[in-house]
Amino acid sequence: MRTVVDLGRAVRSELAKLSWRSPVWLAIVPIAVLLPIALNASLAIATQMNKVNGTGGMDTNNAGYWVMIFSTIILMSAGVASLSNEFKYATAELAYGAQTRRWLLPTAKLIVFGLIAAAATLIAVLVLLAAFPTLFPTVWGRVELTSAPGLRLLWALPVFAFFVSALGIGLAGLIPRPGVVVGVVLLWKFGIEAFSAMLPVRISNVVQQWMPFKNGELGAGQYPTIRPIFGGANGSLAYFALIAAVFFVLGTVRLSRRDLTTD
């Protein structure tokens, strides 16, 4: 019971740090929500004007693509920066002075920033699924909010965003430098995972089946580009969540041990 109370206090403390002037509300969340909406609108307009090839139009299981590509990483950076700045500005010592259980700090940040990420991605994908078929019927006419792929996007994409934040916060616990953490994630996602597709076909097919982000995006409702080996979309999402959870635990343990040795 005391643990729950202390965790609640830690969460309230994190929320108190997010004043209305925080970059999270003024920049990160608006960009994360508006960027995929603007990109999809631009592409839809260009397609209707025959400026780009939009043969076939948009399908529901591809409607959340830009949210997965950009929004999740942008929102992850908020939690990464918040945890890293606790050590950059030595405010972590104040938190540890008030609460000696060191794991509460990263856990509270995960709850706050993970839920912000989940809510922001839900808003973005809800706008796309609900409004775009009406705004751009010739391009988005086949997209259906209440279809099975649409409903999956509504719950699985926010879950994916939450665990992307968990991955980032865990890495920030291991390497408390936000630029390095974001760079590592981007290098893996757009470098290593993209390069795996260029390997010889037999090797590439096997390697890509184990790629975390490819599995996470498949589980979040994206059109499958790999054959899942974890029992389908739910298994793929669980696989990504497990990897993210492992890094979060490693980062939390690292923070606790490092701080304990410097007391």
Side-chain angles (χ1 to χ4, degrees), residues 176-251:
R177 288 176 171 78
V180 174
V181 172
V182 174
V184 167
V185 173
L186 292 176
L187 176 62
W188 182 273
K189 180 176 173 59
F190 297 109
I192 294 175
E193 293 206 1
F195 174 76
S196 67
M198 303 177 188
L199 297 171
V201 176
R202 290 186 178 179
I203 298 175
S204 175
N205 289 340
V206 174
V207 171
Q208 288 189 80
Q209 288 176 323
W210 292 91
M211 290 290 105
F213 279 98
K214 285 188 178 294
N215 277 282
E217 290 165 2
L218 185 155
Q222 176 63 18
Y223 180 83
T225 58
I226 60 173
R227 186 170 65 181
I229 58 174
F230 299 103
N234 289 338
S236 294
L237 185 59
Y239 170 67
F240 178 82
L242 176 62
I243 291 177
V246 167
F247 275 99
F248 177 76
V249 170
L250 290 175

Side-chain angles (χ1 to χ4, degrees), residues 80-167:
V80 169
S82 180
L83 182 60
S84 299
N85 286 340
E86 294 282 0
F87 298 93
K88 179 180 179 180
Y89 300 112
T91 53
E93 295 302 322
L94 297 176
Y96 291 160
Q99 175 51 257
T100 57
R101 286 182 287 184
R102 316 294 174 87
W103 62 268
L104 286 172
L105 180 63
T107 301
K109 290 188 182 294
L110 173 58
I111 292 172
V112 171
F113 289 99
L115 291 179
I116 289 174
T121 52
L122 175 60
I123 292 170
V125 77
L126 186 59
V127 170
L128 293 173
L129 294 177
F132 272 51
T134 300
L135 295 173
F136 308 105
T138 59
V139 181
W140 283 69
R142 294 201 307 270
V143 174
E144 297 181 5
L145 173 64
T146 57
S147 65
L151 294 175
R152 180 167 195 88
L153 280 172
L154 288 179
W155 73 263
L157 185 47
V159 170
F160 174 65
F162 179 92
F163 281 103
V164 171
S165 291
L167 174 64

Side-chain angles (χ1 to χ4, degrees), residues 4 10 13 18 31 56 66 72 87 110 158-159 168 188 197 200 221 225 231 250 252:
V4 174
S13 175
L18 294 175
I31 291 173
W66 294 117
T72 55
F87 298 93
L110 173 58
V159 170
W188 182 273
T225 58
L250 290 175
T252 300

